[in-house]
Amino acid sequence: MIVALIIACEVGFWVLLALALAVRYLLNRRRASVVLLLCEPVLELVLFVVTAIDLKNGAEPSWEHGVAALYIGFTVGYGHYMIRWLDGHAAHRLAGGPKPVGPPKYGLARARHEGRLWTRTLVATGVALALLQAAVWYVGDDGDIDSLRSFQWIALRVAGIHGLVALAYTIWPKKEPDGRKDEDRGSGYAKDRVGR
């Protein structure tokens, strides 16, 4: 039941997001789109409540409860980022807005971007760990909490691996290809000459 609810929440997330963007850019109803976007956290709240009720009714903690906690954590950490990214693309495609600027590809700017993403992963991990720990305390010593503990370690490993990736971008920043630098210099030179 929990897995079906996770899938339903994921589908609901994208349906609500598509509706909100359509209402905002096709119907020009900004307030209605905000109301639809505010319904997004309700999906996670429903998942949280159903998972808690499932445990309260005596269900053995299992991988489904762990996945539910990770899903809620991911949505808290990355939900706003994804909505903002899609909003920029919808504004460009549907309302003639400027093309969204992609993330930086090279140098310290890329390292800072990866660091910000890692911060989101830390938020997601913190939320997941807190929910899993609450479930551990809720079940107590009477139940089998091994699966909940294993998902705590999974969350910590994901945060650690992502942290190493972000650190690698800082220690060994990706450099622009030589041809690209020459192109940039050439285009800047041409712009300077045209401006004179």
Side-chain angles (χ1 to χ4, degrees):
M1 178 176 99
I2 301 294
V3 173
L5 187 58
I6 292 170
I7 293 169
C9 285
E10 181 67 12
V11 170
F13 175 86
W14 291 107
V15 167
L16 276 174
L17 184 55
L19 281 173
L21 294 174
V23 165
R24 175 174 287 187
Y25 295 111
L26 297 178
L27 301 178
N28 293 324
R29 303 280 201 134
R30 186 171 175 79
R31 285 188 185 189
S33 73
V34 170
V35 170
L36 286 168
L37 288 175
L38 289 175
C39 291
E40 295 281 5
V42 173
L43 295 172
E44 280 64 44
L45 184 61
V46 167
L47 179 60
F48 173 74
V49 169
V50 170
T51 304
I53 290 171
D54 191 44
L55 288 172
K56 182 178 181 181
N57 289 338
E60 278 295 314
S62 65
W63 64 272
E64 292 122 347
H65 300 101
V67 169
L70 293 180
Y71 175 80
I72 292 171
F74 177 82
T75 304
V76 170
Y78 281 91
H80 185 263
Y81 176 78
M82 290 182 353
I83 289 170
R84 198 174 66 231
W85 181 81
L86 283 169
D87 184 50
H89 284 278
H92 172 63
R93 300 266 181 187
L94 301 175
K99 185 175 181 180
V101 178
K105 294 181 181 178
Y106 306 106
L108 290 178
R110 177 62 186 228
R112 282 191 294 274
H113 173 73
E114 290 297 328
R116 286 190 295 270
L117 288 180
W118 183 58
T119 302
R120 291 184 179 283
T121 299
L122 288 178
V123 169
T125 301
V127 170
L129 289 174
L131 291 174
L132 289 165
Q133 188 59 44
V136 166
W137 289 332
Y138 188 68
V139 171
D141 295 333
D142 299 335
D144 182 17
I145 56 172
D146 291 341
S147 65
L148 299 174
R149 291 284 187 214
S150 69
F151 272 92
Q152 285 180 320
W153 284 111
I154 288 171
L156 287 171
R157 277 192 294 249
V158 167
I161 290 168
H162 192 181
L164 290 175
V165 169
L167 183 63
Y169 275 100
T170 303
I171 296 173
W172 301 287
K174 190 173 178 183
K175 295 180 180 157
E176 288 187 59
D178 289 335
R180 183 173 171 88
K181 285 182 182 177
D182 293 340
E183 288 171 17
D184 291 343
R185 270 192 236 119
S187 61
Y189 177 72
K191 284 179 191 172
D192 287 345
R193 289 185 60 87
V194 170
R196 288 182 190 165

